[in-house]
Amino acid sequence: MKAKQSYAGQGELLHSELTQNIEAQDLVKAEIVLAHLGEVEASWRKKMVVALQSADPDWVLRLLVRHFRKEPEHRSHFEEYGELVWDMVENHPELLKKHVNETFRPFIVEALRREAREKLILNAMELCEWVHDEEIVPLVADYLYSGKRVFVTTSVKALGAMGLPRGYEALTERMGTDREIDHLVLDVIAQNPQPGGMAILIQTVMAPEAAIRNHAKNLLTRLGKTAVPFLCDALSKPDKDLQIHILNVLGLIEDGHAVEPIRDLLLHGAEDANVRFAAYEALGSLPLKTKSYALAVGLSDEDEQVRFAAARAINKNLSPSLERGLFNMVKPHNKEVVHLIEVFLNSESDRIFLTLLKEEFFKEQATLYLVEKAHPELREHYAQLLRRYGETEMAEIISPSAKEEKQAADIWAVDDSRMVLKIYRKQLHKLDRETELFEFPSRALEKIESERPKLIFVDLNMPEMNGLDFARKVREHYNSKELPIILVTTQTETQDQSEVKAAGINQVLSKPFTEEDLAGAMKRWL
């Protein structure tokens, strides 16, 4: 290369040297040539741009990165070279991802601010992931409300990939009016799980719309151990509905790190029976190892449904220490032993049942309850279990007779929790009512086509469809006078009452419900 001053007025020579540098892919010499752009006539500068346009894009990008880092003023002084960068952004975004840095930040900002070509704007937003600049967030967020769908979806992806607090705020504000966009927001957050994004996912488990709520739960469950610390931290928030949803997710993840936070919640912050129920239900899904003894406390809970959940948790985590404690509990001197045996039986805690059969008093009381008070389905369940384990004599005693008259099931209960369905069966049988149980709302809707019960209890929050959507489907066949529907929920603030009324709900019943609650509802509507 010749000295700098010798280039004045010699654009042809610079163009020739740049062409040779391009052919040799010599970045150092090509960079020296570009440093003298201010001394080259406009016509030759344009010819040099044409030469760069025909060169290997990756090599040109590396050249421009080096050049603009040293000569940033050239970006604005020589528009044709700025346009060359725009062409790269538009046509080779995959290469820019390799080279983007502070040098290219001004190009991204300019692309988002000006009325640029659509493809250019979209590529600029995609590059934001590699910039991580809070000041760019508002520029991207403006496209969340664009009239063009592609701008909206691309801005969602860009903000989620950037993982910055202001971006998460913008995404939160955008949610709630478009289900497809809401799903996309949650998906991109789950792909890049940062504290701010995890907070959105966790809060969304409270969303009123079942599809969005369940999508958030599914994503958290898929994140598994990554989500557990965030979920456990959120358990400390004094919102019982949120705690219940979080406990449901922790039970699905089945990670042992959640055991201690759930135990702490039970010890210090679970005043609501629904929270305790969800806590024991979650513990029943977790590997407790040596900490399973803590479950026994739930057997003396004042609420029957909580006792059911504790029994099921013990049943799954039965250990030698728990067995010894259970044998002590079912001694004749224990005043609560009869109620305790009922809990074990009605919750279908089979491992506990088989273990305690060695205790004669338990065997006598269990036989007495099954023969005199238990639902026929429960009796048949244990009769089959006993036969499987060689206890044929007891099986014959408790087995329901073929001559027993079976009442028609005129009360239906729809709930995604099998444990809650068992409680319905027990309590309604005690009230001398037969019930048909549905774990899946769709099954009940299939049957409603040909059969009409006298009353339906339906849970609000279910994965397949919520209770309000279920009620709307039922109302296509029967009005509220022909078939009363009672919505059962753990939520303190159910839904907008106008929405409940519009869905055709006759009454809202709060969990945990009691035998008296069910009796009162049936007396009111039957």
Side-chain angles (χ1 to χ4, degrees), residues 263-271:
R263 286 184 60 205
D264 289 344
L265 178 65
L266 285 168
L267 288 171
H268 306 295
E271 297 180 1

Side-chain angles (χ1 to χ4, degrees), residues 205-221:
V205 302
M206 296 276 287
E209 188 178 356
I212 298 299
R213 181 175 62 248
N214 293 326
H215 189 57
K217 284 186 173 182
N218 290 336
L219 289 172
L220 286 165
T221 303

Side-chain angles (χ1 to χ4, degrees), residues 413-450:
V414 185
D415 197 299
D416 63 301
S417 170
R418 294 182 183 182
M419 199 179 311
V420 172
L421 292 176
K422 291 180 176 67
I423 293 168
Y424 273 117
R425 183 180 65 186
K426 172 187 177 291
Q427 292 183 348
L428 289 169
H429 179 69
K430 197 171 180 181
L431 292 168
D432 200 28
R433 285 283 187 175
E434 285 302 307
T435 181
E436 185 155 1
L437 309 175
F438 296 91
E439 184 180 353
F440 302 101
S442 57
R443 297 294 297 275
L445 291 175
E446 287 174 10
K447 194 161 187 177
I448 208 79
E449 299 274 352
S450 57

Side-chain angles (χ1 to χ4, degrees), residues 503-516:
I505 299 296
N506 294 74
Q507 179 184 344
V508 176
L509 189 65
S510 296
K511 288 182 179 181
F513 54 81
T514 64
E515 183 182 316
E516 290 73 23

Side-chain angles (χ1 to χ4, degrees), residues 144-159:
L144 289 172
Y145 303 93
S146 169
K148 289 190 174 183
R149 193 75 168 181
V150 65
F151 282 167
V152 178
T153 57
T154 305
S155 61
V156 167
K157 294 174 183 177
L159 292 170

